Amino acid sequence: DILMTQTPSSLSASVGDRVTITCRASQSIGDYVNWYQQRPDRAPTLLVFGSTRLQNGVPSRFRGSGSGQYFSLTIDTLQPEDFGTYYCQHSYSIPFTFGPGTKVDLK
Amino acid sequence: EVQLVQSGAEVKKPGESLKISCEASGYKFTTYWIGWVRQMPGKGLEWMGIIYPGDSDTTYSPSFQGQVTISVDRSISTAYLHWSSLKASDTAMYYCARQRDSGYDWDYWGQGTLVTVSS
């Protein structure tokens, strides 16, 4: 199985900050990375697919980048509704494993 | 509007069987894979397996192979996750989601079903 690691595991930030979360795959996976947001007690929602493509309806302050083994999700100008946990997921080969998550909370 | 609506919370005893459901609407059910994810209390997302409703082709994560069964009923656009003998360690929230063909991302999710297994 392909292992996905995320850093940091948690971070504290303020409204208006820029936040970057990184994800590393245990092998090269092209651009087969997706990012999900999970607010407390809610189902995950898709933010970014194919490493860089923004899902319909997702604000443009979310930005995905990377290819191969190294990927990142950047949130420009953090908003109150952005607090929660973010997961990367690869979709290169089954099983499409998720990273362990990065919890973003209010400083 | 695409929707995935999951069945309600369950409380079961160890050794009991259980089948939870995920009813799809707003799109052609037979043309998108449906996947299942486990989230244990306070933990992350674990990819369990996927099924193609068109022909019931199913693939499981090695971690869940033999532990659960994924199935569909095309006549009612519903996917299922089944346990024949629950364990306390099956206590978790379970989500279904629709998988897109292009990049295999999961674009629509159910609201989740909480399964509690306790004696």
Side-chain angles (χ1 to χ4, degrees):
Chain A
D1 298 1
I2 296 172
L3 179 67
M4 306 295 283
T5 55
Q6 283 182 240
T7 53
S9 56
S10 65
L11 65 90
S12 295
S14 301
V15 172
D17 285 352
R18 172 181 290 176
V19 166
T20 297
I21 300 164
T22 62
C23 181
R24 178 182 176 179
S26 59
Q27 67 180 71
S28 181
I29 56 173
D31 63 354
Y32 283 93
V33 161
N34 314 303
W35 291 92
Y36 300 87
Q37 176 194 59
Q38 187 176 31
R39 297 189 178 108
D41 299 317
R42 302 295 295 274
T45 59
L46 177 66
L47 296 174
V48 171
F49 62 98
S51 179
T52 60
R53 299 175 176 85
L54 212 58
Q55 172 67 350
N56 287 345
V58 173
S60 58
R61 63 180 179 273
F62 290 92
R63 184 161 39 93
S65 64
S67 66
Q69 287 183 263
Y70 299 93
F71 303 87
S72 64
L73 176 72
T74 297
I75 311 170
D76 294 314
T77 318
L78 197 70
Q79 297 299 303
E81 60 269 29
D82 299 337
F83 294 98
T85 303
Y86 292 82
Y87 296 92
C88 62
Q89 178 207 31
H90 82 84
S91 48
Y92 184 78
S93 62
I94 286 172
F96 297 159
T97 49
F98 293 87
T102 296
K103 184 176 182 181
V104 177
D105 63 20
L106 184 62
K107 184 184 289 184
Chain B
E1 179 196 6
V2 174
Q3 282 193 305
L4 298 175
V5 178
Q6 297 185 228
S7 48
E10 302 273 2
V11 179
K12 291 289 191 179
K13 291 182 168 39
E16 292 186 331
S17 65
L18 174 65
K19 182 184 275 191
I20 62 175
S21 67
C22 170
E23 182 180 0
S25 61
Y27 72 98
K28 190 172 182 181
F29 180 65
T30 54
T31 59
Y32 287 83
W33 293 79
I34 292 278
W36 288 93
V37 159
R38 181 175 77 176
Q39 188 168 38
M40 299 178 79
K43 302 298 184 183
L45 305 173
E46 298 175 88
W47 193 94
M48 301 176 72
I50 52 173
I51 188 165
Y52 189 70
D55 60 6
S56 296
D57 184 19
T58 309
T59 303
Y60 298 91
S61 165
S63 300
F64 291 93
Q65 180 82 47
Q67 308 304 307
V68 295
T69 302
I70 298 172
S71 61
V72 294
D73 184 336
R74 283 183 286 276
S75 68
I76 54 172
S77 299
T78 299
Y80 299 97
L81 183 63
H82 175 249
W83 295 261
S84 58
S85 180
L86 286 159
K87 310 179 191 66
S89 57
D90 293 317
T91 294
M93 182 71 82
Y94 294 88
Y95 294 101
C96 66
R98 188 182 83 161
Q99 178 174 293
R100 289 196 290 206
D101 267 349
S102 50
Y104 312 124
D105 53 87
W106 290 14
D107 62 344
Y108 286 93
W109 292 65
Q111 83 278 17
T113 297
L114 180 62
V115 174
T116 303
V117 184
S118 174
S119 54

